[in-house]
Amino acid sequence: QASAAQNEIFEWVASLGVKAYNSDTGTVPGWELDVSVPDAKFAIDFNGLYWHSELVQKNKSQHNVKSRIALKHGIRLFHVFEDEWRDKRDIVKSMVMHRLSMSPTRIFARKCSITTLDSKDARDFFAASHIDSHTRCTVAFGLVKDGELVAALSLRKPFHKKWHNRFEVARFATKLNVSVIGALGKLTARAKEWAREQGAVGLLTYADTRFGGAECYSNSGWVDDGFTGIGFWWTDCINRTNRFSTRASSEESEEEVALRKRVVKIWGCQNRRFLIDF
């Protein structure tokens, strides 16, 4: 039986004027899609934090396998966690509308000017427009149209030593409900220019496959470098925190820390890694 949140998502998608289905069992054989729009080759799964945590869902590959199988049938599957629909509904809706090619406003990047953002402008923009909010970065660039910031990309030093001589895209986003055609390509070009000046040998980025395909990177000059392992978060079944929030110490194992904090793992999908070499 569909949850109340799933029904909310279905009713909202249907209100866009597209032909949507609730609890669709016919599009991907053997699998149920919570909300599907077959004509757009798109579907949404709503993932409740308790029911999709390791307390109930023992197979950590479940979300990833479902996304892979859906894609083999031509369907881009978009996973929404319970806390995202509750706390970041406007961002979720903007992302979905973009994937349905229904963003209310369309702008061409070639008609935008490019600027370097100060830390406050970058933080405010990503907090308002990125599903994972803002994160620390070394530099951020933005596209401006008629005095308004409509897209931004930030860079940081990678966490993994293997990539120490590159810069990593920390965040990329467009303003809510705005499709900026060519934004990633234009911002990537500026990022390449800046990173070269710093002596880097290339750029690196990760695209979370739980939001569907990552064709925008391939279309913007990035080279597909394969998949990472399956990502996870910690959850108390009300909120999620990143994987670094609960870690082993010299006194406690990861399991002991998690037990003390009363959190469990909830699994996502693989990331696709993309590179640009200079």
Side-chain angles (χ1 to χ4, degrees):
Q1 186 175 352
S3 65
Q6 178 183 324
N7 288 331
E8 284 179 358
I9 294 171
F10 167 73
E11 290 167 5
W12 171 70
V13 171
S15 76
L16 299 175
V18 298
K19 191 172 184 179
Y21 298 87
N22 203 357
S23 301
D24 176 6
T25 58
T27 299
V28 178
W31 295 83
E32 180 176 302
L33 305 174
D34 288 350
V35 179
S36 72
V37 188
D39 290 348
K41 301 186 182 304
F42 178 76
I44 302 169
D45 261 13
F46 174 79
N47 298 336
L49 295 183
Y50 171 75
W51 293 104
H52 287 256
S53 76
E54 63 181 347
L55 292 172
V56 177
Q57 189 166 283
K58 303 302 183 182
N59 180 3
K60 73 176 187 180
S61 300
Q62 178 81 4
H63 296 147
N64 197 66
V65 168
K66 188 172 183 179
S67 289
R68 288 286 192 99
I69 291 174
L71 198 57
K72 286 182 179 179
H73 287 82
I75 301 296
R76 295 166 297 146
L77 182 57
F78 184 103
H79 292 269
V80 178
F81 284 115
E82 178 182 350
D83 56 313
E84 291 170 329
W85 183 246
R86 181 189 68 216
D87 302 331
K88 299 184 178 182
R89 189 170 301 194
D90 289 345
I91 296 177
V92 171
K93 287 183 174 182
S94 179
M95 293 173 73
V96 169
M97 291 179 74
H98 180 76
R99 283 153 179 77
L100 292 173
S101 300
M102 297 182 71
S103 298
T105 302
R106 288 166 56 88
I107 296 171
F108 288 95
R110 65 174 183 269
K111 295 186 177 181
C112 300
S113 59
I114 195 161
T115 186
T116 302
L117 302 177
D118 63 31
S119 58
K120 182 181 185 304
D121 286 344
R123 182 174 60 251
D124 291 348
F125 183 80
F126 290 121
S129 61
H130 198 284
I131 193 71
D132 292 324
S133 193
H134 172 67
T135 191
R136 292 178 64 180
C137 63
T138 305
V139 68
F141 304 105
L143 296 182
V144 177
K145 180 72 166 62
D146 298 328
E148 182 178 34
L149 183 61
V150 295
L153 178 148
S154 63
L155 297 175
R156 66 185 174 196
K157 292 300 293 182
F159 296 124
H160 300 292
K161 292 181 180 179
K162 174 182 179 180
W163 308 108
H164 72 278
N165 54 358
R166 295 174 183 266
F167 279 94
E168 177 186 344
V169 174
R171 293 288 186 264
F172 166 69
T174 60
K175 185 179 179 182
L176 292 194
N177 303 314
V178 177
S179 176
V180 186
I181 296 93
L184 182 58
K186 186 164 183 172
L187 288 168
T188 294
R190 180 66 184 97
K192 287 168 61 178
E193 180 183 42
W194 181 88
R196 279 198 192 97
E197 293 170 355
Q198 312 307 310
V201 302
L203 298 175
L204 160 74
T205 193
Y206 298 94
D208 192 341
T209 62
R210 78 178 176 100
F211 296 127
E215 297 80 8
C216 62
Y217 287 98
S218 298
N219 296 337
S220 299
W222 293 80
V223 177
D224 193 336
D225 190 53
F227 291 89
T228 67
I230 297 171
F232 73 90
W233 298 261
W234 294 99
T235 183
D236 58 3
C237 300
I238 299 173
N239 297 295
R240 285 175 306 134
T241 55
N242 68 45
R243 67 185 188 276
F244 301 116
S245 65
T246 300
R247 305 175 79 176
S249 68
S250 57
E251 292 83 22
E252 292 180 295
S253 68
E254 182 184 82
E255 291 77 11
E256 289 171 331
V257 176
L259 187 62
R260 174 171 54 80
K261 296 175 71 172
R262 298 184 177 181
V263 293
V264 294
K265 289 179 178 178
I266 186 166
W267 298 90
C269 297
Q270 292 174 295
N271 287 332
R272 277 175 68 183
R273 182 172 51 241
F274 292 89
L275 303 175
I276 287 180
D277 296 326
F278 299 158

